[in-house]
Amino acid sequence: MKKLILILLTVATTTMMFSSCSKKNDEVKPVAKNYVLVHGAWQAPYVWDAVKTTLINEGNNVTVVELPGHGSDQTDPSTITLNLYTTTVLNAISKINGKVILVGHSLGGMIISSVAEKIPAKIEKLVYLAAYLPTSGQSLFGLAMTDPGSQLGIKGNLIMNNGGLTVDVKQDQIVNIFIPDGSAQVQNLVLQNYRSEPGIPLQDPVTLTSANFGSVEKVYIKTLQDRVVSPDLQDRMIGTAIGGVKTVYQLNTSHSAFLAKPDSVAMLLTKIGH
């Protein structure tokens, strides 16, 4: 009798252990994604801080690129080109195992497009957040000059220094143009971190092909209250993208969506990634 009870207990314990293991195996966590985040003009890596934290807390790998001449980088503006930006992002990606989800904001759209042309097989998706999405031969300035809805160049709020070597935004218009919907704390953060923008990359055209750039899946996140890249220009760029844009999302924010609604941006990037 004791032997029979022992056998039954052993079977029951084994069954419970197997059941427990099965449940653990069923609760598979989403595969971690590699996000590479590229900021835009007059900005720096700090703008991605809240979005980065959320993505990391969800188990992803996040790399935020600091462009030359931005943040704490003191590269001479006369040596900064769109090609240097591209090389900087390529170097960051080269240290990452597996494919990346490459996200560009504003000017960052020009850069991620150039990167995709060079390493299309390394990129899982290109994500344009309120970003310039060029066709081959276009420059950022060239695109911006077709945007009457922008409150930057066409409205006279840009200041060209030393023949365009650096470019500034009128001080009293920075908040109004970039982050009118942000908290006072966020608006002050933008003002405190403001730096003159290297001008040469804004004039450099990109060369893109259907075979390389066109083969990469593209997603666009529109910012409906944007005063830098107007919703109208965003729509036109989406409509002319080489290889097409597979998915379009919308956020009811200003140009600096990652500061105005970081949780919404992180949620969309998570959705895009999975």
Side-chain angles (χ1 to χ4, degrees):
M1 185 69 177
K2 288 182 179 179
K3 192 172 183 179
L4 178 60
I5 292 173
L6 183 59
I7 292 170
L8 290 173
L9 286 171
T10 302
V11 171
T13 301
T14 303
T15 302
M16 288 174 65
M17 288 175 63
F18 180 78
S19 175
S20 176
C21 289
S22 296
K23 286 180 180 178
K24 286 181 181 178
N25 289 336
D26 288 342
E27 297 169 2
V28 179
K29 290 184 179 180
V31 176
K33 295 290 183 175
N34 298 314
Y35 289 90
V36 177
L37 311 179
V38 182
H39 64 79
W42 298 287
Q43 295 183 332
Y46 79 91
V47 299
W48 291 110
D49 283 352
V51 172
K52 176 184 176 180
T53 297
T54 300
L55 291 175
I56 289 175
N57 288 342
E58 291 173 352
N60 299 293
N61 306 309
V62 181
T63 299
V64 179
V65 178
E66 181 176 72
L67 297 176
H70 297 77
S72 60
D73 184 272
Q74 298 300 318
T75 303
D76 183 345
S78 68
T79 68
I80 298 175
T81 62
L82 184 62
N83 186 58
L84 180 59
Y85 287 162
T86 301
T87 300
T88 302
V89 177
L90 287 169
N91 288 341
I93 293 175
S94 71
K95 301 172 185 175
I96 299 170
N97 292 324
K99 289 192 172 187
V100 304
I101 296 171
L102 184 55
V103 186
H105 174 255
S106 197
L107 161 67
M110 304 294 294
I111 301 164
I112 67 172
S113 299
S114 180
V115 170
E117 176 65 24
K118 295 185 180 301
I119 54 166
K122 181 72 175 178
I123 300 171
E124 182 177 339
K125 292 177 184 176
L126 286 174
V127 183
Y128 294 81
L129 172 61
Y132 290 98
L133 171 48
T135 58
S136 190
Q138 289 183 320
S139 68
L140 186 151
F141 267 166
L143 278 167
M145 289 302 105
T146 70
D147 189 8
S150 173
Q151 293 189 20
L152 273 178
I154 289 178
K155 301 298 182 182
N157 287 318
L158 287 183
I159 302 168
M160 310 296 285
N161 307 309
N162 302 317
L165 187 60
T166 61
V167 184
D168 279 303
V169 178
K170 288 183 178 178
Q171 188 72 19
D172 63 355
Q173 290 298 312
I174 293 171
V175 166
N176 175 59
I177 291 173
F178 290 104
I179 184 67
D181 53 346
S183 66
Q185 182 180 5
V186 164
Q187 291 175 345
N188 286 331
L189 188 67
V190 170
L191 290 172
Q192 290 164 10
N193 285 276
Y194 174 87
R195 283 183 61 185
S196 295
E197 181 68 19
I200 296 171
L202 307 180
Q203 305 169 58
D204 287 343
V206 294
T207 299
L208 306 171
T209 64
S210 296
N212 291 352
F213 172 73
S215 68
V216 182
E217 182 179 334
K218 301 169 192 68
V219 178
Y220 201 102
I221 302 175
K222 290 179 60 182
T223 39
L224 301 182
Q225 303 300 321
D226 205 313
R227 298 175 181 179
V228 177
V229 185
S230 74
D232 179 63
L233 177 58
Q234 292 177 45
D235 284 336
R236 284 191 279 125
M237 292 187 295
I238 290 167
T240 58
I242 299 170
V245 174
K246 183 174 182 181
T247 313
V248 178
Y249 296 99
Q250 296 186 158
L251 289 174
N252 191 30
T253 70
S254 66
H255 190 59
S256 302
F258 35 42
L259 295 175
K261 292 186 178 178
D263 291 345
S264 297
V265 173
M267 181 180 68
L268 274 182
L269 292 181
T270 299
K271 183 175 182 179
I272 291 164
H274 299 286

